[in-house]
Amino acid sequence: MSSCPFCALAPESAGDDLVAWRTPLAFVVVPTQQRPRNRGHMLVLPRAHVTRLADTDAELRAELYGVVGRVSLAVRKAFDATGVTVFQNEAAPDQVLHHLHVHVVPRRAGDDFRLPAPEKLVLTLDERIAQARAMRAALA
Ligand SMILES: [Zn+2]
């Protein structure tokens, strides 16, 4: 889907500064908006444009959630988090991007995490690139 910003990042050659990891079927990117107290939020996505988890096959689900597992450990290391919250929306009322994606959010004491986020910060490109670099190091 040409207008999908996630599909634009899926190919091997695209947006590497913002891609923390690519596997044959999945990839990890740093979202533009993050909760101010949960910086280091990552998105894990299938490289193919899929909109519903129910439309994925067992191979893709296994790889996607295998990557989620690795990322859930790596965000703690990269961003000094004590834990993570993992979630995925499908056609939620406030959802604007419909390429299937799993959120991995680093958690810390007193971060007051809620869904939907009461406030979000638009990160600078430099901060997003730095987060992707920190994740690549933590995943290595
Ligand atoms: Zn897409």
Side-chain angles (χ1 to χ4, degrees), residues 1-8 10 45-50 98-100:
M1 191 173 281
S2 60
S3 63
C4 175
F6 291 139
C7 281
L45 311 94
R47 291 177 68 174
H49 187 87
V50 176
H98 296 281
H99 186 130
L100 177 66

Side-chain angles (χ1 to χ4, degrees), residues 33-38 111-112 114 116-121:
Q33 295 185 34
Q34 300 185 16
R35 291 162 177 80
R37 284 173 286 191
N38 300 97
D111 64 9
D112 195 28
R114 279 176 279 161
E119 59 172 332
K120 285 184 186 168
L121 190 68

Side-chain angles (χ1 to χ4, degrees), residues 54-71:
D55 295 335
T56 60
D57 63 20
E59 182 187 13
L60 176 55
R61 281 194 301 276
E63 188 162 312
L64 192 68
Y65 276 87
V67 170
V68 168
R70 284 277 310 275
V71 168

